[in-house]
Amino acid sequence: MPGDVANATTYDFPVRFQKVEGLTTNRVLGKDPTAFEPLLAAAEELAGQGVRAVSGDCGFLALHQRKLAARLEIPVFLSSLLQIPFISGILRPDRKVGIITADSRSLDETLLKAVGVEPGDNLVIRGMEDQESFSKAVIEEVGILDSKGIEREAVLVAKKMIKEEPKVGALLLECSCLPPYGRAIQEAVDLPIFDYVTMINYVHSALVKKRFEGHM
């Protein structure tokens, strides 16, 4: 879908994609350590093509963030979860960061620590794993992607989170398939929404500076 990380029209700048051979959703959610080698091969292929940085297409790739960054000469930002410290830092101390993830059962201490985050009371995590349209298309990878259905489910999960945890001050959409629904979620809960695209655009703004013209 437009807005998905894997859709080139999501961006206002040129991007390149490289398939990671054999890497399935189940392997990523299962934190398969053997996924690193094909991930490295794909990243090195992109680096060889001249890209300025490498991102990922699943927040659970956080597991490989530091190891991959150590192997490449260009910036690596595999996971949307890298934004958690930034989001937490811009909120009042009594506010919490809400995270909507593909699978809350798999988003654990190991992944959080991989991006420099200590699990604590300031994080509220809710998953999409029990939402039928999302689960079938994204986790099970069967059938077709029902975009309207996923939007309804994502909004439902967000509204339920805020009702249960009113101190949530901002939301992070972990999954790379969720940015298309960020606007609908924001209209429902009226909070700042961060996702993969906010991260990618932010890094691009640092990599490709523009000249400013105006009036004084």
Side-chain angles (χ1 to χ4, degrees), residues 5-216:
V5 169
N7 187 324
T9 65
T10 296
Y11 313 100
D12 294 328
F13 45 86
V15 296
R16 285 180 179 263
F17 298 105
Q18 186 68 33
K19 181 180 178 180
V20 182
E21 293 296 334
L23 188 59
T24 62
T25 300
N26 284 334
R27 288 183 68 189
V28 176
L29 295 181
K31 305 181 187 67
D32 182 354
T34 65
F36 178 75
E37 290 304 323
L39 181 64
L40 174 62
E44 289 179 332
E45 174 64 26
L46 287 171
Q49 294 173 15
V51 302
R52 299 195 183 193
V54 172
S55 186
D57 193 25
C58 178
F60 288 81
L61 291 174
L63 185 68
H64 309 288
Q65 168 65 33
R66 292 177 180 173
K67 191 174 179 181
L68 187 62
R71 297 288 293 270
L72 298 185
E73 296 296 330
I74 56 178
V76 173
F77 50 116
L78 287 180
S79 175
S80 54
L81 300 174
L82 288 164
Q83 298 171 95
I84 296 174
F86 175 80
I87 301 169
S88 180
I90 67 174
L91 299 177
R92 282 174 33 174
D94 64 334
R95 297 299 179 186
K96 300 181 179 183
V97 178
I99 302 172
I100 298 180
T101 178
D103 191 338
S104 59
R105 300 163 299 185
S106 299
L107 182 47
D108 57 14
E109 181 177 331
T110 301
L111 282 176
L112 292 173
K113 287 188 173 182
V115 292
V117 175
E118 287 294 330
D121 295 337
N122 67 320
L123 299 181
V124 177
I125 300 173
R126 297 290 185 271
M128 296 286 294
E129 65 270 14
D130 294 328
Q131 304 301 317
E132 184 177 4
S133 296
F134 181 90
S135 181
K136 284 185 176 179
V138 179
I139 298 178
E140 299 174 40
E141 298 181 291
V142 296
I144 61 172
L145 190 150
D146 177 3
S147 184
K148 290 296 184 183
I150 293 176
E151 180 175 286
R152 288 193 295 269
E153 293 170 349
V155 169
L156 178 66
V157 170
K159 290 173 70 174
K160 188 171 185 290
M161 175 197 288
I162 302 307
K163 183 178 180 180
E164 295 173 346
E165 297 283 351
K167 287 192 174 182
V168 168
L171 289 181
L172 170 63
L173 311 181
E174 169 274 321
C175 179
S176 64
C177 297
L178 290 178
Y181 317 110
R183 180 59 183 262
I185 294 171
Q186 188 169 65
E187 290 174 347
V189 300
D190 193 26
L191 289 175
I193 307 293
F194 295 83
D195 54 34
Y196 251 110
V197 178
T198 61
M199 177 181 68
I200 292 171
N201 286 339
Y202 179 65
V203 174
H204 178 265
S205 72
L207 291 168
V208 185
K209 303 305 294 181
K210 68 176 184 179
R211 294 186 181 277
F212 295 94
E213 297 180 1
H215 302 281
M216 294 183 67

